[in-house]
Amino acid sequence: MKMSVALVAGLLLVPAAGASAQGVDDAQIASIVVTANQVDIDAGKLASAMGSNAEVKKFGQQMATDHAGVNAQAVELVTKLKVTPKDNPTSMSLKEGGATNVASLKKLKGAAFDKAYIDHEVAYHQQVLDAVDKTLIPSASNAELKALLVKVRPAFVAHLEHAKMVQSSLTK
Amino acid sequence: MRGVTLLAVAVPGLLSCSGHGTAAVSRTPVTYTVTIEAVAFTPPALTVKAGDSIVWVNKDPFPHSVQAKNGGFDSLPIQADRSWTLTPSAPGELSYVCALHPNMTGTIRVE
């Protein structure tokens, strides 16, 4: 209860720039969203090209398509809101993590690639979902940006469940 | 002449509404909409009559599909802001799934 009061007090003290009690403003959230999608697009394209299992290739292609769609919608909204995505520790960390993952995957082939890709997809979607729930949605100050995050959240849940299904099929 | 035409159209409706219709009087087909948004079919379950149409409208920013679990129909990918229509002609229970997002499911009960 004390935390809630502190959070509300923090939100009431939000400066004009829109920074929240949790330290990310809308410009930083925009950068995190665009980066999180781009990281999964890059990995998905690699999996659709290098995957050996048909389900892994299909999943990779779908990640590239779905996240490109979400990104197009996010970019359209932030352009309309005149919010310029701003780099921040979270978006930089996502970008670096994505580049490291792609570099590691490129060294693998066949079943080892499939397993490494899908294991990372499960962990990544869980990580992004946690960020959406714990940081992005609570911190978004613009109502339309918050609504977009709420609307795309189920896509991350669906991808996580789908990735787990593919992961499970690989171990059979 | 126009009056005659209107009367001819109106009469079956009147008969049907008053409960005196016969089997020969056909029911006007209804079109239902299932919205695809936030990776879900809404409503997930629908009951229709044979000859009615169901339109699935994709409001997500990426493709979805409507595929019968028994293989009876397949929309193939429905792009963002596009729709796909099915007009079932026979009674039955049609369970379907989005082939791209396997946890998205729905049911059409055709009477």
Side-chain angles (χ1 to χ4, degrees):
Chain A
M1 189 61 193
K2 277 183 182 172
M3 270 186 70
S4 300
V5 172
L7 185 61
V8 170
L11 288 170
L12 289 173
L13 294 172
V14 166
S20 78
Q22 300 196 19
V24 283
D25 62 22
D26 286 356
Q28 291 170 322
I29 290 172
S31 176
I32 293 168
V33 170
V34 170
T35 306
N37 281 305
Q38 190 57 51
V39 161
D40 214 43
I41 291 168
D42 294 343
K45 282 180 179 171
L46 187 69
S48 78
M50 286 184 61
S52 62
N53 177 284
E55 286 302 310
V56 169
K57 289 174 84 74
K58 204 168 101 180
F59 182 81
Q61 179 56 54
Q62 193 197 325
M63 290 307 102
T65 303
D66 284 10
H67 287 285
V70 172
N71 246 2
Q73 201 173 48
V75 168
E76 187 183 346
L77 177 63
V78 298
T79 303
K80 183 186 126 185
L81 297 176
K82 296 187 169 49
V83 171
T84 305
K86 189 166 69 187
D87 280 348
N88 57 85
T90 304
S91 65
M92 297 304 284
S93 166
L94 281 169
K95 200 176 286 183
E96 285 167 20
T100 304
N101 179 46
V102 164
S104 303
L105 287 173
K106 280 181 176 171
K107 293 174 188 162
L108 302 172
K109 282 181 182 173
F113 175 96
D114 293 344
K115 184 180 183 319
Y117 168 71
I118 214 71
D119 285 352
H120 187 269
E121 283 298 289
V122 170
Y124 182 75
H125 279 89
Q126 186 61 65
Q127 181 193 348
V128 172
L129 203 50
D130 286 347
V132 167
D133 287 342
K134 293 171 186 167
T135 306
L136 305 187
I137 291 176
S139 300
S141 60
N142 179 277
E144 286 184 82
L145 181 61
K146 194 186 281 274
L148 176 73
L149 292 167
V150 169
K151 191 186 166 188
V152 301
R153 183 189 183 278
F156 287 100
V157 176
H159 289 167
L160 175 61
E161 294 307 314
H162 194 176
K164 284 179 178 173
M165 282 169 62
V166 178
Q167 186 182 44
S168 167
S169 74
L170 291 181
T171 57
K172 282 174 188 170
Chain B
M1 188 60 192
R2 181 176 288 176
V4 171
T5 307
L6 283 173
L7 186 63
V9 171
V11 166
L14 287 172
L15 286 173
S16 180
C17 288
S18 63
H20 297 293
T22 65
V25 176
S26 62
R27 174 180 164 275
T28 304
V30 177
T31 299
Y32 295 88
T33 299
V34 175
T35 302
I36 304 174
E37 192 166 25
V39 200
F41 295 111
T42 307
L46 196 60
T47 300
V48 306
K49 305 274 189 204
D52 287 346
S53 295
I54 306 105
V55 183
W56 282 265
V57 181
N58 183 9
K59 293 190 176 178
D60 266 340
F62 42 80
H64 287 290
S65 77
V66 178
Q67 186 184 74
K69 287 184 179 173
N70 68 3
F73 56 86
D74 186 356
S75 68
L76 300 178
I78 306 167
Q79 300 300 321
D81 296 323
R82 302 297 290 269
S83 64
W84 182 74
T85 304
L86 177 73
T87 306
S89 56
E93 182 111 346
L94 309 174
S95 294
Y96 63 91
V97 63
C98 168
L100 303 168
H101 305 91
N103 43 356
M104 285 174 68
T105 59
T107 309
I108 302 292
R109 188 174 166 213
V110 186
E111 295 179 333

